[in-house]
Amino acid sequence: MKIIAADVIVTSPDRNFVTLKVTTDDGLTGLGDATLNGRELAVVSYLRDHVAPLLIGSDAHRIEDTWQLLYRSAYWRRGPVTMAAVAAVDVALWDIKAKAAGMPLYQLLGGASRSGLLSYGHASGKTLDELFDSIREHLELGYRAVRVQTGVPGLKSIYGIASNATFEANSGVRYDHEPAQRGARPAEEDWDTRSYLRHVPGVFEAVRNEFGPELPLLHDGHHRMTPIQAARLAKSLEPYDLFWLEDVTPAENQEALRLVRQHSTTPLAIGEIFNTVWDYQTVIREQLIDYVRSAVTHTGGITHLRKVLDHAAQYQIKSGMHGPTDISPVGMAAAMHLGLSIHNFGIQEYMQHGARTNEVFRQSFTFSGGMLHPGDAPGLGVELDVDEGGKYPYERAYLPYNRLADGTVHDW
Ligand code: EZ4
Ligand code: CO
C-alpha cells in the first residue's frame, strides 16, 4: 500500500486548522491534525516543503518506521513545529491502517479498556455569578467535571475567561473560551500574581459551597508562577479537593515542580506545550505530576504519546490529554481512540467546536452523559469536506500575551 499523495489543507471555520491528508494507491485516505495555535503556517511549510516529498512512494503500513525516519533523519529533533508535523503523518497513517483493517482505530490499539471517556469542559466567568451560571450550563450539557477560571479584581483581561468580543467575532458561536484572536497583532492581557493568589482560594470555596463536594473541579495556572508561588497556590487549594491543578510553573524547568510537591497534595498536571518524552523525563521519573497533558497533535502522534503514557503508567500517572478548540476534530478523535484503549486513562479535556467546524469535519464521535466515545466507524471516524473547508481561507490569528503593571512582559 503505497502513499501517492500527501496534501496539506488549511481551513478556518471559526478558527484556523491545518490537516494532512494522505492518499494511498488503493484509494484509502487518512487524516492527521497539525494545528499549532498562532503558528499554523510554520507547520504547513514543514509538511509541504520537507515532509510530503519523503512520503510519496513509501509504504503506508510502516508507521513506526516512518515515525523514526521523520524524527531521526531531520537531525533537528523535537520542538512544536517538527512534532506537530510528525504527529499529523503518524495519525494519518493510523487512520489508513484502521480503515484497511475495517476497524475503529481503538481496536488496533488493543481494544476498549472502558465504555467511554470522562470529559471536562471550561466554565468561566469574570464574576462569581457569571462563573456559577457557566458551571450550571456545563452541568446541563451533561459534563461531570469542570475547569474553573475567574477574573481577578483589578485585572481587566486574563487567560481563561470567555469574552463577549470572542463570541461576537465568531457570530455568536460559543467557544468557551478561544484565546486566539484574528488580527495583525496579539491581544495584550494583564497579570498580577499576588492578586491572583489572594483571589483564587475564595473562588473555590464559593464553588464548593454552591455545588457541593462531589463535582470534580480543575484549574489552570497557565505557567505564570515561580516555584514558591505555585507551592503556595497548591497548598491553599488543598481544602477544595481539586481533580488537578495545571501548569503552575513555566514548563521548561521540570525541577520546579519538586518544590510544589514538597508542600502540597493537590494533584498536578502539566504538558500541553511538551513535545516528547524528554520533556517529561524528570517529572515522570520523580513522580512530580499526576496527569500527562500532552495532545496527540503536539507530541508526535499516537505512536509517541502512547509510549509517553505507557512510561507514565509505571508511576501511576494518568492521561489528561489537551482538548481545547485549537485541537481539530481529527486531533480530538485521535485522542479518544488512544484514551479508550490505554489502561491509565484519567480524563479528557473537551471544549466543543463551533457549528461551522463541525460542517467541515464530519465526525462520528459522541458526547453523552459527560462521556466521549470515538464511535465505531473504520479509522478515526472523521472525514474532511474539502469543498466546505475551502469556503474559509486562513486568517492570521495570535494567542494573547501578558504584561505586568509596569509593562514587563510576563508568561502567558
Ligand atoms: O491556552 O489551547 O488547558 N488549556 C489551555 C488552552 C491553551 C490553548 C493554547 O493554544 O491552556 O486554553
Ligand atoms: Co492549559
Side-chain angles (χ1 to χ4, degrees), residues 120 122 147 149 159 219-223 244 246-247 272-273 293 322 324 349:
Y120 73 92
H122 287 198
R147 192 184 85 160
Q149 307 290 138
Y159 170 78
H219 181 68
D220 193 343
H222 228 254
H223 326 278
W244 80 39
E246 168 180 345
D247 286 347
E272 69 186 40
I273 66 167
R293 286 284 290 142
H322 197 206
E349 184 179 27

Side-chain angles (χ1 to χ4, degrees), residues 332-410:
M332 289 301 299
M336 290 177 218
H337 286 280
L338 183 58
L340 200 69
S341 67
I342 55 173
H343 176 251
N344 57 329
F345 171 80
I347 198 167
Q348 174 64 52
E349 184 179 27
Y350 179 48
M351 292 169 71
Q352 322 206 345
H353 286 117
R356 279 184 288 222
T357 300
N358 294 337
E359 276 162 29
V360 173
F361 295 93
R362 306 252 170 75
Q363 304 151 36
S364 59
F365 61 79
T366 56
F367 177 65
S368 158
M371 310 290 276
L372 283 165
H373 191 285
D376 284 303
L380 285 171
V382 182
E383 293 303 325
L384 172 53
D385 184 331
V386 176
D387 294 335
E388 189 65 23
K391 293 183 189 166
Y392 307 106
Y394 169 81
E395 287 184 50
R396 188 186 311 283
Y398 284 105
L399 285 164
Y401 77 107
N402 269 332
R403 284 189 193 274
L404 306 180
D406 70 355
T408 307
V409 173
H410 191 66

